[in-house]
Amino acid sequence: MAQDAISEALYERAQALIPGGVNSPVRSCRSVGASPFFVKRAAGCRLEDEDGHIYIDYVGSWGPMILGHAHPEVVEAVRFAATQGMSYGIPCRLEVALAEKVVSMVPSMDMVRMVNSGTEATMSAIRLARGYTGRPKIVKFDGCYHGHSDCLLVKGGSGLATLGIPGSPGVPPEVVAHTVSVPYNDVEAVEAVMKAHGDAVAAVIVEPVAGNMGTVLPKPDFLPALRRLCDTYGSVLIFDEVITGFRLAPGGAQERFGVRPDLTCLGKIIGGGLPVGAYGGRRDIMEKVAPVGDVYQAGTLSGNPLAMAAGLATLKVLSTPGIYASLEEKGAALEAGLREASRIAGVPVTVNRIGSMGTAFFTDSEVKDFAAALQADTAAYAQFFRHMRSCGVYLAPSQFESFFVSTAHTQEDLDRTAEAALESFRVVKEKCAKKMKV
Ligand code: KE4
């Protein structure tokens, strides 16, 4: 039987019933010229597909699985919660416990509202900022992706960048008329927009470390400039920490970079693998949210007890002393392995990495914004992805995403990854050299 026969058969069935056979576009692996495998089980940093292939996983469900898959404390928390009922639609103690844990970890959060996804979190934060300020305009950054709510689907990163869709059909022009997108790290561009429109800007929303054009770090003056400009014009500064929250530090990027937003959006890790998003921040803003205030937002499954239990167990483990130092060491080891392998193979890559997230861009230029990321050789990345997968290493199926290291990755896993990378870079060199842009 073909080595991927079961996944191929499942993919065939899935494509007849689900658009592209996937419940989220980037999983289709189309941008890297591959078909997805179907996971049978996952544990620690390993995935097993339906055909029995094992992979070292650097996607981690796109960020949530910072403790690795099926962490025993998380599994037990969810198992027990399930025996107490799946959903109530009535407040329960787990919602209070997770809210207290989140507020204790994220410096700028006085209050928090749970939702079910990062998209809901940013969509709600934008509505809240507009309700709080009475202003219409939103400033975002090219290459940053904040989920798929209409007013934010402009020049997105993540799936949009990968699929090359600048915005999306189905979003009426008037819905994005108030959304301005400027280059990431470009302080002058933001200053110009705020000078021209600042009094009408409800919010500036940013990924404090971008993860959706691949990993791009903020220049030292970037985040402080956004804080200064929002203070000057009375706009709400929103940090979209759906990726960076609880990943870069207990308090996320805002703790690491020492810049306090007015609102923070969370997702991924906060749910420990179950569907949780959240938005929160200054009490004077959050008290505008219904039912206390009149900015409306709601959700049947918001605060779901199983999801709260998974998130709480995850954050409790992440509060173990030394865990972020260990994640930093593992991230640095992975970066060093990728750099050394590309050097030996003679394939220039730019590796952007912070803590346990990063991206290897197939370019020898600095990648400080979306325009630079788009210069990367996506064909070379696709070749690298496919060969790494054949070596049993699963990377993000897109040049414009990030890799994630978990607490479950061991030195042996990292060494094996470096060996696979050397072999894969050599294949890229051989197969793509003539076409490579560098
Ligand atoms: P979700 O609605 O997918 O939970 O979160 C949207 C979102 C918001 N903000 C940031 C910074 C995000 O990265 C995301 C979602 N990230 C993508 C991949 N980077 C999720 C993967 C997918 O779309 O399948």
Side-chain angles (χ1 to χ4, degrees):
M1 186 157 69
Q3 65 166 357
D4 297 324
I6 300 175
S7 279
E8 285 172 2
L10 284 166
Y11 192 37
E12 201 67 32
R13 287 166 52 193
Q15 289 180 88
L17 300 168
I18 308 166
V22 291
N23 284 310
S24 198
V26 72
R27 300 179 197 170
S28 66
C29 297
R30 290 182 177 213
S31 72
V32 289
S35 297
F37 57 75
F38 281 61
V39 176
K40 185 171 190 173
R41 66 172 69 88
C45 71
R46 279 181 169 63
L47 303 165
E48 179 180 353
D49 72 12
E50 288 283 358
D51 294 284
H53 305 306
I54 306 290
Y55 306 90
I56 301 173
D57 180 16
Y58 287 102
V59 176
S61 185
W62 303 94
M65 310 320 296
I66 193 168
L67 301 181
H69 297 283
H71 187 286
E73 291 180 50
V74 180
V75 171
E76 176 50 29
V78 174
R79 187 201 64 76
F80 176 74
T83 64
Q84 306 300 298
M86 304 297 279
S87 181
Y88 314 124
I90 305 165
C92 71
R93 66 172 52 242
L94 281 168
E95 295 172 88
V96 182
L98 186 56
E100 287 171 340
K101 187 62 179 170
V102 168
V103 164
S104 73
M105 292 174 78
V106 184
S108 63
M109 276 183 153
D110 302 329
M111 301 186 84
V112 62
R113 167 63 64 84
M114 301 294 170
V115 292
N116 301 285
S117 69
T119 294
E120 269 194 88
T122 58
M123 176 177 71
S124 307
I126 292 294
R127 182 181 311 129
L128 175 57
R130 284 171 158 163
Y132 174 75
T133 61
R135 299 175 179 180
K137 288 198 179 301
I138 300 296
V139 177
K140 72 175 293 292
F141 297 89
D142 300 349
C144 286
Y145 173 71
H146 304 290
H148 63 90
S149 62
D150 279 356
C151 81
L152 287 167
L153 273 185
V154 284
K155 289 185 183 177
S158 188
L160 290 174
T162 303
L163 300 177
I165 303 169
S168 169
V171 176
E174 56 270 24
V175 169
V176 294
H178 293 300
T179 307
V180 181
S181 193
V182 293
Y184 194 81
N185 273 323
D186 190 336
V187 170
E188 283 180 21
V190 192
E191 284 176 339
V193 166
M194 295 303 279
K195 189 174 179 185
H197 306 291
D199 295 339
V201 172
V204 174
I205 184 168
V206 68
E207 291 182 66
V209 170
N212 286 290
M213 47 181 130
T215 298
V216 174
L217 277 64
K219 292 293 185 189
D221 63 343
F222 183 53
L223 298 178
L226 301 186
R227 179 67 277 169
R228 168 173 52 81
L229 289 163
C230 285
D231 290 340
T232 301
Y233 291 95
S235 305
V236 175
L237 179 58
I238 302 174
F239 275 11
D240 177 349
E241 296 224 40
V242 168
I243 287 180
T244 57
F246 313 115
R247 171 146 309 263
L248 297 185
Q254 57 194 267
E255 176 185 326
R256 191 140 181 170
F257 289 94
V259 175
R260 286 171 74 99
D262 302 306
L263 292 178
T264 299
C265 300
L266 299 167
K268 298 181 192 279
I269 292 171
I270 192 175
L274 294 194
V276 181
Y279 65 101
R282 279 173 34 196
R283 182 174 299 277
D284 63 319
I285 300 177
M286 288 302 290
E287 288 184 337
K288 293 291 183 186
V289 178
V292 181
D294 50 6
V295 175
Y296 195 70
Q297 177 268 313
T300 301
L301 295 175
S302 298
N304 170 273
L306 278 68
M308 298 293 102
L312 192 56
T314 299
L315 297 188
K316 282 179 178 173
V317 175
L318 281 176
S319 300
T320 310
I323 213 155
Y324 285 94
S326 168
L327 285 164
E328 176 64 39
E329 284 171 21
K330 294 180 181 188
L334 178 60
E335 176 186 356
L338 290 171
R339 286 181 185 281
E340 180 63 2
S342 69
R343 184 191 66 78
I344 294 170
V347 175
V349 293
T350 292
V351 181
N352 288 353
R353 193 248 344 149
I354 179 171
S356 56
M357 67 182 280
T359 297
F361 291 96
F362 279 73
T363 175
D364 59 0
S365 307
E366 179 192 19
V367 180
K368 65 178 174 58
D369 59 20
F370 192 37
L374 289 174
Q375 296 309 307
D377 187 333
T378 51
Y381 181 83
Q383 182 66 58
F384 185 69
F385 167 87
R386 293 194 299 269
H387 199 80
M388 286 291 271
R389 194 169 98 172
S390 72
C391 295
V393 177
Y394 188 62
L395 298 175
S398 163
Q399 171 68 98
F400 306 111
E401 294 289 352
S402 302
F403 59 68
F404 298 108
V405 181
S406 77
T407 56
H409 286 85
T410 65
Q411 188 58 50
E412 183 192 352
D413 297 317
L414 297 166
D415 293 344
R416 272 192 54 199
T417 302
E419 288 162 19
L422 178 55
E423 184 183 315
S424 303
F425 279 125
R426 284 181 166 144
V427 168
V428 169
K429 179 83 171 180
E430 177 194 319
K431 295 197 173 183
C432 300
K434 44 192 169 305
K435 294 197 299 296
M436 284 182 75
K437 296 181 185 174
V438 293

